[in-house]
Amino acid sequence: MAYSEATVLAGGLVHIPILIGLVGFFQKFHLGITKKTSKTSEALNKSAQPPKPPEKPSSPPKVVKKTAHQNVPVNTYKPKSPFESTVTENYSLLKEGAIGRVNHITFDLSGGNPKLEYIEGQSIGIIPAGEDAKGKPHKIRLYSIASTKYGDNFKKNSVSLCVRQLQYEKDGQTINGVCSTYLCDIKPGEKVKITGPVGKEMLLPDDEDANIIMLATGTGIAPMRAYLRKMFEPTERQKNNWDFKGKAWLFMGAPKTQNLLYDEDFENYKSKFPENFRYTKAISREEKNSKGGRMYIQDRVLENAGELFALIENPKTHIYLCGLKGMEPGIDEAMITAAKAKGLNWSELRPQLKKAGRWHVETY
Ligand code: FAD
Ligand code: A2P
């Protein structure tokens, strides 16, 4: 899917007045939700101890959005003047027998003026070389960044992506996606036009005690890989001065074991940080759910509903959803059932989590 950065930028700008209005209240309340309306709200706020609101606020908003992350780099390089980077690495993330093609690709960002910097959870735009059928330059495609801001080599001069080649059949022909094929085929040394960074939806909280629940399908693992490196890679921890002490729980969906992405790294984090990291896989074409269908991450969510909702009740818990757009209804359904079992109403709870800046979704 081509995605316009102008849309992202414009979308961000129209929120500025709203955000300015909310900052004052945020300073007073410092809480995601100010008005308790139901058992769901109470559950959400249970362990928070907010300062009392002023007696008669002139027009109290029900919800005060978090205003952290004010210094996030956005659109340093725009489509009209992209950064020309050099590919340093491009290798397959899949094992023998896997379905399709998914690559880890790294670009050198050194030498830019201004420097192209980003933080974990952002995306970059790629302009594929060549022209479309109308002879016009190809449109930008967005990709979630899979590296931390220090980059895979910790030198703060690179960015990595996790790209699945789009392939589908049409009228008996195999169609290859323009940009994903361009990226999967690209060789080290070749130049690539990069824009961005963009996105503030998938940023991590600053809090070292935060709990991070991650729901990923396929390449939706990209931002989660960056989070987990930031949390558990020794050199990363030493550099970033962020001593993660919360609980991180990754639900990862892949069609086959051979399709699991960055699996060895995650197994390694699990063995080194058993108190802080939980890793739950859903291998759709090898495992069956309780109804005999393909095992998806939403089935794993249901299996772990009690523990998950106990975590969600903690105001320091954030949930991140990334990958296939198609998984959203399934996750919602699982959350409805799981919430019900705890006497909670998901349709009430989800918007509250969203407004509190604790429900983060990037699907495509
Ligand atoms: P295109 O040549 O643009 O083809 C896509 C078009 O093909 C579709 O718009 C549709 O019209 C058509 N099409 C697709 N499937 C079918 C089908 N089955 N039958 C018929 N027609 C079909 N991708 C990643 O791999 N990794 C990421 O980390 C990643 N992050 C993203 C983050 C964001 C915020 C967004 C918005 C998208 C992200 N994507 C990611 C998706 C990426 O931007 C591209 O959309 C994807 O790579 C396909 O682009 P393409 O140029 O290869 O395909
Ligand atoms: P499947 O393709 O077996 O139906 P990848 O991007 O590597 O193909 O991985 C995506 C994973 O997400 C696969 O395991 C895929 O299963 C699974 N998946 C497909 N549709 C959904 C959905 N609606 N909800 C959750 N997971 C899904």
Side-chain angles (χ1 to χ4, degrees):
M1 178 180 70
Y3 197 89
S4 153
E5 287 189 36
T7 315
V8 173
L9 187 61
L13 288 175
V14 297
H15 287 93
I16 288 174
I18 302 167
L19 285 175
I20 290 170
L22 291 176
V23 165
F25 276 105
F26 175 74
Q27 284 166 343
K28 284 178 192 154
F29 296 91
H30 193 67
L31 178 70
I33 298 139
T34 58
K35 193 178 167 193
K36 292 181 185 177
T37 52
S38 66
K39 186 172 177 195
T40 303
S41 299
E42 279 164 25
L44 261 177
N45 285 303
K46 212 164 70 177
S47 39
Q49 291 178 345
K52 279 187 182 152
E55 277 181 13
K56 280 184 186 170
S58 47
S59 55
K62 274 189 188 166
V63 169
V64 180
K65 195 165 167 44
K66 282 182 83 174
T67 55
H69 305 304
Q70 272 152 2
N71 298 319
V72 181
V74 175
N75 282 315
T76 313
Y77 283 88
K78 301 191 176 64
K80 281 192 179 146
S81 50
F83 178 69
E84 191 155 284
S85 72
T86 308
V87 178
T88 56
E89 267 190 315
N90 186 357
Y91 58 86
S92 170
L93 287 167
L94 305 182
K95 301 261 158 38
E96 188 73 35
I99 299 168
R101 202 171 165 212
V102 183
N103 282 18
H104 185 80
I105 310 160
T106 301
F107 307 89
D108 184 9
L109 298 181
S110 50
N113 185 18
K115 194 166 181 213
L116 202 167
E117 294 187 327
Y118 60 90
I119 63 170
E120 297 80 16
Q122 291 195 285
S123 299
I124 53 167
I126 299 285
I127 308 176
E131 292 171 343
D132 64 17
K134 293 178 186 154
K136 295 206 167 141
H138 285 299
K139 290 201 177 75
I140 287 171
R141 272 73 166 177
L142 287 185
Y143 292 89
S144 308
I145 295 173
S147 47
T148 71
K149 66 178 173 185
Y150 293 99
D152 287 359
N153 61 4
F154 307 110
K155 290 185 178 158
K156 220 174 176 191
N157 63 3
S158 68
V159 64
S160 299
L161 303 178
C162 168
V163 179
R164 161 174 279 288
Q165 183 187 23
L166 174 70
Q167 270 199 326
Y168 59 93
E169 301 296 318
K170 197 175 169 193
D171 306 327
Q173 262 199 321
T174 302
I175 310 285
N176 293 324
V178 172
C179 192
S180 58
T181 303
Y182 163 72
L183 287 173
C184 287
D185 285 347
I186 207 155
K187 302 275 179 304
E190 289 186 45
K191 302 281 185 198
V192 173
K193 287 179 179 150
I194 296 184
T195 65
V198 293
K200 293 189 178 182
E201 170 67 21
M202 297 290 282
L203 308 184
L204 280 176
D206 295 330
D207 198 341
E208 293 176 340
D209 288 336
N211 301 309
I212 307 296
I213 298 170
M214 292 159 277
L215 309 172
T217 52
T219 54
I221 197 64
M224 280 80 169
R225 183 220 183 218
Y227 307 157
L228 293 167
R229 280 179 73 84
K230 178 170 170 160
M231 291 167 186
F232 302 125
E233 275 296 330
T235 313
E236 186 67 39
R237 283 168 70 91
Q238 177 215 322
K239 282 203 171 264
N240 67 27
N241 206 18
W242 192 63
D243 184 14
F244 178 70
K245 299 185 191 80
K247 297 212 181 306
W249 192 348
L250 171 65
F251 290 81
M252 173 65 191
K256 294 172 78 175
T257 303
Q258 297 95 316
N259 279 81
L260 283 167
L261 307 172
Y262 310 107
D263 184 55
E264 286 90 355
D265 294 343
F266 301 156
E267 287 293 350
N268 178 38
Y269 301 152
K270 199 172 91 175
S271 68
K272 298 258 165 60
F273 296 88
E275 298 303 316
N276 304 92
F277 181 45
R278 215 158 145 187
Y279 180 27
T280 304
K281 307 171 202 182
I283 319 286
S284 58
R285 315 256 175 122
E286 294 173 8
E287 300 169 315
K288 295 253 178 278
N289 64 19
S290 58
K291 291 179 190 147
R294 287 182 180 179
M295 176 64 81
Y296 286 161
I297 51 171
Q298 49 267 40
D299 301 307
R300 295 291 188 214
V301 163
L302 269 180
E303 286 172 7
N304 293 280
E307 280 177 274
L308 268 175
F309 269 84
L311 265 182
I312 291 172
E313 282 177 31
N314 180 339
K316 290 192 171 184
T317 299
H318 288 244
I319 306 149
Y320 294 81
L321 197 67
C322 191
L324 294 176
K325 207 168 209 40
M327 74 172 162
E328 281 188 63
I331 295 288
D332 236 11
E333 232 174 86
M335 295 306 247
I336 290 168
T337 313
K340 219 180 204 170
K342 294 276 281 182
L344 302 170
N345 179 348
W346 180 243
S347 59
E348 218 178 277
L349 190 75
R350 190 176 71 153
Q352 291 178 2
L353 287 170
K354 174 79 188 153
K355 283 169 189 162
R358 295 170 49 201
W359 175 257
H360 311 259
V361 180
E362 193 158 271
T363 54
Y364 42 88

